[in-house]
Amino acid sequence: MYGYTTNVIKDGVSMKKIIFLTCLLFFIILAGCGLEDKQQASISKEESSIHFNHEAIGLKLDAYIKTGQQITVEASLENISDEAIIYNNRCGEPFYITMKLDDTAVYLKSDEEPMACIEIFDPNDLVELAPGEKIIKVVTFTREFGLQEEETVPTLDGTYLIEFSFTTYGTGHFYASTPTELSHSEEPDILTLEEAIEKAVENSEVKQWRENKKQQGMEIRNEEAFISDGKWYVMFHAIGEEFVERIIVPVDIYSGEVDEINKEELPKDEATLQWIESQGS
């Protein structure tokens, strides 16, 4: 009798354990499904798709841009003119798609292989894009900036430009761009462009340079910033009577510390003024 009672108690305990473990497993599965659904909802909420087109110099661009965890660009460039368009195919089709943070020269990583080709002129490399013929290209960008070698950092919130370019032989250069917004739930790993500019203008040497130029009646403009060697390079220029004066301010992308500042004078010639115009702000 005592043995029977003991067996019943053991069986009861075992049954309770089985029921408990079954419920726990069921709860974990439900929770996991809920988490996955939330993650999928979060990703799908950020996903978007746009169509962009542009026509110039006898070429028509059609691009479909899908933005999610990655940014995929499917693009075609069609010859819509009545004549063949000639281009240099030595290093492959010169149809390039890039994506950069607006007002900078900081680019996202993509699945395109770096070009290991020196583009020189050889008549044998010239090919024709016939009327109605298309060049198709697909590029996928990751939400990362490429730094030195294999080092990367997550992209920042902000406006990005997706740029399309194609160089013809004799009929001009095709260029088009369209903006897109990227946002992230996590805090950025590096200083934003705005923070880097703020660190630069707060520096005493930069303050003095800017004040001197303003006293001389010179307008100060920002140039496109870029990242190299772990630093934001923030640059300003001022146009004088005979020279364009520049100041280059390296700001550590993590600490915000300002490194050695450099200044230079450029001749105020047509080439310099055209370059300044290309800098936008």
Side-chain angles (χ1 to χ4, degrees):
M1 183 175 178
Y2 288 106
Y4 178 76
T5 305
T6 305
N7 287 338
V8 170
I9 293 170
K10 285 182 178 178
D11 290 343
V13 171
S14 299
M15 185 60 69
K16 286 179 180 177
K17 284 183 178 177
I18 291 168
I19 293 170
F20 173 76
L21 291 172
T22 303
C23 291
L24 180 61
L25 180 60
F26 184 67
F27 175 77
I28 289 170
I29 291 169
L30 283 176
C33 291
L35 179 60
E36 185 176 342
D37 288 343
K38 284 180 182 177
Q39 288 175 338
Q40 290 297 330
S42 175
I43 291 170
S44 63
K45 187 178 179 183
E46 288 186 4
E47 287 180 347
S48 64
S49 182
I50 63 168
H51 175 224
F52 172 67
N53 58 69
H54 182 77
E55 294 182 16
I57 64 168
L59 292 165
K60 179 184 178 182
L61 170 74
D62 271 303
Y64 294 88
I65 302 161
K66 297 177 183 176
T67 302
Q69 292 294 85
Q70 296 180 322
I71 301 92
T72 301
V73 182
E74 300 177 7
S76 67
L77 198 61
E78 179 184 2
N79 180 357
I80 57 172
S81 73
D82 297 328
E83 299 180 355
I85 293 175
I86 301 171
Y87 63 93
N88 190 329
N89 196 41
R90 180 181 180 83
C91 297
E93 292 161 341
F95 181 26
Y96 303 110
I97 304 173
T98 56
M99 187 171 180
K100 68 170 189 172
L101 181 63
D102 196 18
D103 292 328
T104 76
V106 181
Y107 290 84
L108 271 66
K109 286 198 71 175
S110 76
D111 58 0
E112 276 203 297
E113 292 292 328
M115 184 184 290
C117 171
I118 300 174
E119 195 164 301
I120 58 175
F121 178 72
D122 182 339
N124 296 317
D125 296 327
L126 297 179
V127 296
E128 291 185 352
L129 185 69
E133 191 176 359
K134 294 180 181 180
I135 297 174
I136 309 293
K137 190 163 193 178
V138 179
V139 180
T140 299
F141 299 93
T142 56
R143 293 179 178 240
E144 298 173 304
F145 295 137
L147 302 181
Q148 284 72 48
E149 298 177 354
E150 297 300 315
E151 186 184 358
T152 61
V153 293
T155 52
L156 302 166
D157 290 358
T159 302
Y160 288 76
L161 283 185
I162 300 174
E163 300 178 304
F164 305 85
S165 65
F166 183 82
T167 302
T168 71
Y169 180 74
T171 51
H173 182 73
F174 178 94
Y175 175 83
S177 67
T178 184
T180 188
E181 296 291 326
L182 292 185
S183 60
H184 310 83
S185 57
E186 298 178 358
E187 288 294 315
D189 290 352
I190 64 171
L191 265 65
T192 64
L193 173 61
E194 292 75 18
E195 289 170 335
I197 292 173
E198 186 179 350
K199 294 287 184 183
V201 297
E202 285 176 351
N203 178 271
S204 57
E205 186 177 347
V206 177
K207 274 184 181 179
Q208 185 178 3
W209 183 89
R210 289 170 65 91
E211 286 170 6
N212 287 342
K213 303 311 162 196
K214 286 179 181 178
Q215 287 173 5
Q216 295 171 37
M218 299 167 72
E219 181 186 1
I220 298 170
R221 293 187 182 181
N222 293 14
E223 296 178 16
E224 276 193 343
F226 64 90
I227 294 176
S228 179
D229 300 322
K231 299 177 183 65
W232 273 109
Y233 280 83
V234 178
M235 296 159 289
F236 307 98
H237 65 254
I239 303 174
E241 291 287 333
E242 299 179 1
F243 296 98
V244 174
E245 300 187 43
R246 301 178 72 223
I247 186 166
I248 301 101
V249 189
V251 181
D252 189 281
I253 61 173
Y254 297 107
S255 68
E257 182 180 346
V258 175
D259 206 342
E260 183 178 353
I261 295 169
N262 292 301
K263 305 182 186 75
E264 69 172 341
E265 283 186 352
L266 301 174
K268 188 182 174 183
D269 55 22
E270 186 177 347
T272 301
L273 295 176
Q274 284 180 352
W275 170 76
I276 286 171
E277 194 65 30
S278 72
Q279 294 295 296
S281 58

